[in-house]
Amino acid sequence: MLQMEAAAIVRGIEERAPAGVVQPTGARLDVPTADFWYVEGGRIEEFNCYVGPSVMLAQLGVPPDFAAAVDAPAAAAS
């Protein structure tokens, strides 16, 4: 059972990607997220936000290459 003293909803928009500005296409992304607010004495003590990057990348048409990520440390050691 989850007991909370308070709850908050925050919506944010990131306008820049690591490689620069991404022009809008009008396409919709549906990315799962989980926000955890730890409230103590009426104050937010800690906040953690988690997203589903593999789901987001798949919707963008860039499926993650997990096999290459596993093989990369072995290749770098050679």
Side-chain angles (χ1 to χ4, degrees):
M1 181 169 152
L2 179 63
Q3 184 176 359
M4 297 174 43
E5 288 184 28
I9 298 172
V10 176
R11 181 174 182 221
I13 298 173
E14 182 62 46
E15 295 181 1
R16 294 190 59 82
V21 175
V22 176
Q23 296 302 319
T25 64
R28 178 185 169 102
L29 289 178
D30 188 9
V31 182
T33 62
D35 291 341
F36 293 87
W37 302 79
Y38 299 93
V39 179
E40 190 173 311
R43 297 180 59 131
I44 297 171
E45 295 295 325
E46 185 177 341
F47 168 71
N48 296 309
C49 178
Y50 301 94
V51 297
S54 59
V55 174
M56 179 181 65
L57 290 172
Q59 291 179 39
L60 292 171
V62 186
D65 186 356
F66 294 114
V70 171
D71 294 339
S78 321

